[in-house]
Amino acid sequence: MTPESRVIGLGLDRVDGPAKVTGAATYTMDVTADGLLHAALVRSTFAVGTITSIETAQAEAAPGVVAVFTRHNVPRMKKPSWNLLTPPPPVPLQDGSVHHYGQYIAMVVAETHQQATAAAALIRVDHEAAGASLSLDAPALKSRTNPYFLDAKRGDAESALTAADVVIDATFTTQANAHNPLGLFSTVARWDGEHLIVHDSTQNPYLIRDSLAKVFSISKDKVQVLAPYVGGGFGAGLRLWQHVILTAMAARAVGRPVKTVLTRPQMFTGIGHRPATIQRMRVGARRDGTITAIDHEATSTAAKVANVLYPVTLTTPATYRCDNVRGRDRQVRLDIPSPAHMRGPGEAEGNFALETALDEVACAIGMDPVELRMRNYAKVHPQTGLAWSSKALDECYRQGAERFGWAGRTPQPRSMRDGQWLVGYGMAGVTYSHFQAKCQASLTVRDDGTVLVRSGATDIGQGTYTVITQVAADGLGLDPVNIRFELGDTGLPRAPQAGGSGLATALSNAVHDATVNAIEALLASASADPASPLHGCSARDVAVAGGRIHREDDASRGETYVAILARSGRSELTVEGSSAPSRAEIGALLGSFAVSRMGRAGRRLVEATHAIAPAGAFAAHFVEVRVDPQLGRLRVQRMVSAVDAGQVLNEKLARSQIIGGVVGGIGQALFEEITTDVGSGRISNATLADYLVPVNADVPDLDVVFVGEPDSDNAVGVKGIGEIGLVGVAAAIGNAIHHATGKRLRSLPFTITELMD
Ligand code: MOS
């Protein structure tokens, strides 16, 4: 029962493209409602301390103002359930204590956005500020904690380092980054009696639903969360944030719908950020290139409230065949807004240290960096000894190097020039573990020949609408124009977060399952009917094509879905589909990553997410940089990214995902850094003018090649590629800079002053 012409993989245009370019797509910010009010949030201007008085009379009297909320009139609300991966924020406006700059201390609700904003400026606040701990400096580092017991150990790294021919011992730092999705995070809430309806910029509508039900002490079925379009997330949308709670609270209090749209500066304090890290990486090797020891110690910043799990060393033990590996993750809790997962969370930082150190080993022993990686290639998962579900990292190296022209690299630093430019070639490998969570979908075949597929997932720009349309069309042997896919609604079958590079795998397999179930149900109906040409057929005997089931041995004998429905007197047929990570995966995982590293917290993590797949996606990035040593100018000239993505669902969108990730990686490498005023904790570059991200002039032609085979671990063969494009870019660029200049840069973002001779 296989489809005869494959739709999966084709580079179809986005099915939601026309709605987006014509403005018909309704993002949360676009949602309107009768009697809609607009909220503006007032934030603390200091990091730690107490609000001693708050004067709201002027704001309350301002034109259009309907209500002003402070801790004095906000009802008590319950804490949302705690969750290891997505800890909820403290319930806002419950007391006068302030835990970070930008914490919400008041909310104004008015007839218009402008009136709310103007009135918010009239609120007067007195406070007593206390000393704040704001950066990863030496005193802060003394208070390092080990909150999740993430240590990994195999063999004896310390002894192996002592015995190694070559030891690299280096410290790496990375700065805090902002997610900066283009779409300002927004919430629209309205109450219909005891029912709460919320539109939200989220990557996980079900988390928002379940959390709000808890906060307002109502049952989950009384809360509906809608997110049909989300203007980007990068991880910021994986958690419940305080403005969502406040918007729902206000809507209930004033008895009208309320909309909150965060300002860009509020996006820097209210929806998380990539934490800063400091890492010590030690790698020991023999002269022949055998890596004998890896010791990776990372410290990342965390908030004192709403701390998030952010493992930086998690992937290191799974990356190379090496007998002696140690990983330690620590956190320093600061008086900062809560960090959050951000594209390639922890992996992007950890990979930067590991893949730079590998380059340093290659230089120290005079071996080609690609050869060094192949010399230590992990054919099996090095932590468990189990075979990978699939792994074509070797092909990533081979094909990436060939497309890039790596053979033309002369090994000596500063040996390649083009006029005033020093030219450098660098590369890095990427091993990426993705999450696959449980997922459900429904599929309805209608008597007009169309099919409706539904699941409450989100498409935050990655292309879910399109690829799932393709999966359904492929499974049913239909033209994609006959398929409609509805998502972004907790009224639909439950889907997991668009995060952890796991949604495409979870959802495509659930929908694939639904197509199998639909064909089986239709076939059962036809097979039982002596008048049907499919009479007596089982699934093994048939194929599907053109909206029709036909006999495998005689394509002329078959029936369309429409005819089968008509024969059975039904106008439509609805089936369910589901997917879950394989039990083997969970078992392998329980034995390796999670439980051995994290004890009981690991078990909870596995239960919460259902599994972290021991399967992985893999990639290699090759980059050419040009450095003008007089001015410190740096140009990324070109890049080739070779990615083992398993079964690509849509060649065009997958390529787009990787390109987007690589651009994010260029940002992390060269530009992005949240700067914080050490006195107040104020973020001093919280606008898109001041916080630098790559623009077109910074991004060269990016070449992407997909290698490998469909993954054996799931029916569709998918691997997650939402994050892998970003991971590895910083190391590849840094390694290219070293090749161009002889300078080894270990601090992100790389700066001009470090590049000048
Ligand atoms: Mo991603 S950090 O799982 O949105």
Side-chain angles (χ1 to χ4, degrees):
M1 199 171 63
T2 44
E4 292 187 332
S5 62
R6 302 233 63 186
V7 185
I8 285 182
L10 297 181
L12 251 60
D13 288 347
R14 287 174 192 267
V15 298
D16 51 335
K20 284 185 171 173
V21 298
T22 59
T26 312
Y27 292 80
T28 300
M29 207 195 291
D30 306 320
V31 170
T32 55
D34 283 344
L36 180 68
L37 296 171
H38 300 263
L41 292 157
V42 179
R43 299 181 299 159
S44 73
T45 56
F46 61 101
V48 188
T50 312
I51 307 287
T52 50
S53 78
I54 184 155
E55 176 52 59
T56 58
Q58 256 191 297
E60 281 160 12
V65 171
V66 174
V68 177
F69 295 100
T70 67
R71 70 182 162 104
H72 299 296
N73 62 345
V74 161
R76 299 301 96 179
M77 293 176 271
K78 285 224 182 86
K79 271 191 192 156
S81 304
W82 190 80
N83 174 321
L84 180 69
L85 275 182
T86 57
V91 179
L93 301 188
Q94 301 287 293
D95 61 40
S97 57
V98 168
H99 303 283
H100 61 82
Y101 174 88
Q103 181 179 316
Y104 303 127
I105 54 176
M107 181 191 222
V108 178
V109 175
E111 297 291 342
T112 70
H113 172 73
Q114 289 76 7
Q115 288 170 331
T117 305
L122 301 173
I123 291 176
R124 293 284 161 260
V125 179
D126 286 329
H127 68 265
E128 275 167 14
S133 181
L134 295 165
S135 62
L136 263 182
D137 52 16
L141 281 169
K142 286 210 184 85
S143 65
R144 298 193 323 160
T145 61
N146 181 14
Y148 298 112
F149 310 105
L150 285 164
D151 294 5
K153 194 172 187 315
R154 77 170 174 260
D156 181 349
E158 207 62 55
S159 304
L161 283 165
T162 308
D165 294 336
V166 174
V167 174
I168 302 300
D169 181 351
T171 298
F172 297 83
T173 58
T174 66
Q175 296 301 318
N177 292 173
H179 298 82
N180 269 321
L182 208 51
L184 296 171
F185 269 33
S186 313
T187 305
V188 177
R190 74 188 156 86
W191 290 79
D192 182 1
E194 277 299 291
H195 282 82
L196 170 62
I197 300 109
V198 173
H199 298 256
D200 193 35
S201 311
T202 181
Q203 296 169 235
N204 192 351
Y206 287 90
L207 174 79
I208 305 302
R209 181 195 69 169
D210 297 355
S211 303
L212 290 177
K214 190 86 194 279
V215 169
F216 295 102
S217 304
I218 54 179
S219 66
K220 289 176 188 174
D221 58 10
K222 290 204 165 69
V223 184
Q224 184 180 20
V225 175
L226 297 153
Y229 295 97
V230 180
F234 311 115
L238 292 174
R239 289 165 71 186
L240 173 75
W241 299 110
Q242 287 190 328
H243 69 274
V244 181
I245 299 174
L246 286 172
T247 307
M249 176 280 299
R252 187 181 228 184
V254 301
R256 287 169 65 177
V258 173
K259 177 191 283 189
T260 303
V261 178
L262 296 188
T263 63
R264 185 58 63 179
Q266 288 167 353
M267 298 277 280
F268 281 74
T269 54
I271 60 165
H273 63 272
R274 185 191 292 281
T277 71
I278 179 164
Q279 303 174 61
R280 184 180 181 198
M281 176 66 79
R282 291 186 296 165
V283 177
R286 287 204 291 264
R287 290 249 159 251
D288 68 359
T290 306
I291 304 289
T292 54
I294 301 175
D295 185 324
H296 189 183
E297 181 179 67
T299 303
S300 53
T301 53
K304 286 187 180 159
V305 291
N307 187 19
V308 71
L309 171 68
Y310 199 89
V312 174
T313 68
L314 189 66
T315 304
T316 301
T319 305
Y320 292 105
R321 191 193 65 230
C322 170
D323 293 335
N324 306 291
V325 180
R326 188 152 65 137
R328 278 156 294 166
D329 259 286
R330 298 292 181 268
Q331 288 189 321
V332 167
R333 299 182 77 164
L334 302 173
D335 302 303
I336 56 173
S338 177
H341 298 125
M342 181 168 156
R343 210 170 196 183
E347 318 254 4
E349 295 84 351
N351 175 287
F352 168 58
L354 179 60
E355 290 296 303
T356 306
L358 261 282
D359 202 67
E360 298 188 51
V361 170
C363 288
I365 63 173
M367 181 178 276
D368 180 83
V370 177
E371 194 190 332
L372 176 68
R373 284 164 175 83
M374 281 309 299
R375 179 73 55 105
N376 296 281
Y377 195 74
K379 282 208 175 65
V380 296
H381 186 281
Q383 194 82 339
T384 60
L386 297 173
W388 297 93
S389 54
S390 64
K391 178 172 182 175
L393 180 57
D394 48 355
E395 274 302 294
C396 294
Y397 292 139
R398 199 185 62 71
Q399 291 195 39
E402 192 179 300
R403 279 172 90 103
F404 181 84
W406 185 256
R409 177 184 190 261
T410 53
Q412 193 58 33
R414 291 185 94 99
S415 63
M416 294 171 71
R417 270 184 178 272
D418 183 5
Q420 98 247 33
W421 296 98
L422 297 170
V423 175
Y425 288 3
M427 58 80 58
V430 190
T431 295
Y432 201 90
S433 305
H434 43 83
F435 288 102
Q436 188 193 338
K438 282 184 180 170
C439 187
Q440 294 167 333
S442 72
L443 187 152
T444 301
V445 183
R446 292 163 160 168
D447 61 2
D448 62 357
T450 65
V451 169
L452 177 64
V453 181
R454 302 206 254 198
S455 182
T458 50
D459 187 337
I460 59 172
Q462 76 273 35
T464 307
Y465 277 111
T466 310
V467 298
I468 295 307
T469 299
Q470 287 175 262
V471 170
D474 192 272
L476 294 172
L478 280 171
D479 190 302
V481 297
N482 296 308
I483 312 280
R484 193 154 65 86
F485 178 45
E486 280 180 9
L487 54 63
D489 182 347
T490 54
L492 303 177
R494 186 168 187 135
Q497 61 191 14
S501 296
L503 181 61
T505 308
L507 188 54
S508 66
N509 281 286
V511 170
H512 173 77
D513 184 51
T515 63
V516 171
N517 294 340
I519 293 167
E520 269 178 12
L522 290 162
L523 180 61
S525 161
S527 176
D529 187 339
S532 168
L534 297 168
H535 178 62
C537 285
S538 72
R540 280 191 315 278
D541 311 323
V542 299
V544 296
R548 180 172 172 275
I549 305 176
H550 66 78
R551 302 179 79 113
E552 191 108 63
D553 57 4
D554 182 359
S556 70
R557 294 171 67 196
E559 260 187 311
T560 63
Y561 305 146
V562 173
I564 296 171
L565 283 175
R567 180 189 295 286
S568 63
R570 282 191 281 196
S571 62
E572 61 180 44
L573 170 88
T574 297
V575 296
E576 310 293 321
S578 65
S579 69
S582 67
R583 306 312 294 181
E585 264 183 26
I586 297 170
L589 189 74
L590 281 167
S592 63
F593 282 114
V595 170
S596 68
R597 302 198 53 176
M598 296 162 63
R600 280 191 303 133
R603 229 176 280 275
R604 278 207 299 275
L605 175 69
V606 170
E607 282 161 10
T609 60
H610 305 292
I612 308 167
F618 304 90
H621 299 291
F622 292 83
V623 59
E624 177 184 332
V625 300
R626 299 188 162 216
V627 179
D628 178 336
Q630 254 92 54
L631 297 173
R633 281 181 73 203
L634 168 70
R635 281 284 170 267
V636 177
Q637 187 76 8
R638 61 195 180 92
M639 281 189 70
V640 175
S641 301
V643 183
D644 171 10
Q647 172 66 55
V648 169
L649 294 173
N650 177 313
E651 200 279 330
K652 185 175 178 179
L653 292 180
R655 188 179 133 78
S656 230
Q657 267 286 42
I658 299 303
I659 288 174
V662 169
V663 174
I666 293 173
Q668 184 194 30
L670 304 183
F671 304 109
E672 297 191 49
E673 175 176 11
I674 293 175
T675 56
T676 302
D677 177 73
V678 290
S680 65
R682 175 176 173 269
I683 293 173
S684 55
N685 61 346
T687 72
L688 285 181
D690 298 306
Y691 180 92
L692 301 183
V693 294
V695 297
N696 272 347
D698 301 309
V699 178
D701 194 22
L702 303 176
D703 184 23
V704 179
V705 57
F706 292 108
V707 307
E709 298 291 325
D711 196 60
S712 64
D713 204 51
N714 61 85
V716 184
V718 183
K719 296 186 184 195
I721 56 162
E723 303 175 274
I724 195 169
L726 187 150
V727 183
V729 173
I733 291 176
N735 295 341
I737 289 171
H738 179 265
H739 182 235
T741 66
K743 294 172 199 284
R744 181 63 69 182
L745 308 188
R746 301 188 186 91
S747 180
L748 297 180
F750 305 133
T751 56
I752 285 175
T753 45
E754 298 171 290
L755 291 167
M756 287 193 289
D757 275 346

